[in-house]
Amino acid sequence: MIVMRITRRLEFDAGHRIPDHKSQCRNLHGHRYALEITLEGEVNARPGETDSGMVMDFADIKAVAERELVDAWDHAFLVYRHDEPLVSFLHGLPAHKTVVLDFVPTVENLARIAFDILAPAYRAHDSRLCLAAVRLYETPNCWADALAER
């Protein structure tokens, strides 16, 4: 049996800061993040189905990711729960899109959070699927990979 892996890439913009960083990243700033979602599974061999010949339709991969993660994070400020007074300031801005996180929003932590959110969402969409990896680019040259345990 051949196991197939497929990957879908999405992009979004978000702001953050690393409060205790020794350099520039302690300041408020933003990134054009790129999110790569890699799913693993068998190719659907049932003739006549819309996703026959596919592990999952790429449009469906995108729809799940947008619903579960990207729509919440896109054009939001990702802030660590204990980064006061920034949390209070952001909550005080009328209709500001703020996502409060339990971890400092480093690319490593964001990749892990994304994996934890997306893995059950893809499994619920199709029990034959396994989220194999999430790669999150903070810049074109810097990224983190969150991988499924083997």
Side-chain angles (χ1 to χ4, degrees), residues 72-74 76-80 90-91 96-101:
W73 287 11
D74 188 31
F77 198 89
L78 311 175
V79 63
Y80 178 43
L90 292 169
H91 283 311
H96 188 269
K97 195 172 179 184
T98 302
V99 177
V100 179
L101 303 168

Side-chain angles (χ1 to χ4, degrees), residues 73 101 103-115 136 144:
W73 287 11
L101 303 168
F103 301 95
V104 175
T106 61
V107 70
E108 296 90 342
N109 283 333
L110 294 175
R112 179 172 44 135
I113 293 166
F115 190 98
L136 185 63

Side-chain angles (χ1 to χ4, degrees), residues 37-111:
I37 299 158
T38 301
L39 296 170
E40 188 174 280
E42 295 178 35
V43 173
N44 178 356
R46 296 180 298 271
E49 293 188 6
T50 185
D51 62 349
S52 182
M54 303 175 193
V55 173
M56 183 177 183
D57 188 311
F58 286 113
D60 292 338
I61 296 171
K62 179 181 177 183
V64 170
E66 286 179 338
R67 180 184 71 237
E68 300 295 329
L69 181 82
V70 174
D71 288 348
W73 287 11
D74 188 31
H75 284 83
F77 198 89
L78 311 175
V79 63
Y80 178 43
R81 177 175 310 286
H82 299 293
D83 189 2
E84 286 293 344
L86 182 57
V87 173
S88 296
F89 170 76
L90 292 169
H91 283 311
L93 295 174
H96 188 269
K97 195 172 179 184
T98 302
V99 177
V100 179
L101 303 168
D102 290 328
F103 301 95
V104 175
T106 61
V107 70
E108 296 90 342
N109 283 333
L110 294 175

Side-chain angles (χ1 to χ4, degrees), residues 2 6-7 17 20 33 36 41-42 48-49 54 82 101 111 131 140 145 147-148:
I2 294 176
I6 60 172
T7 301
R17 84 180 199 111
D20 296 319
Y33 288 96
E36 292 180 354
E42 295 178 35
E49 293 188 6
M54 303 175 193
H82 299 293
L101 303 168
L131 181 60
D145 292 324
L147 307 172

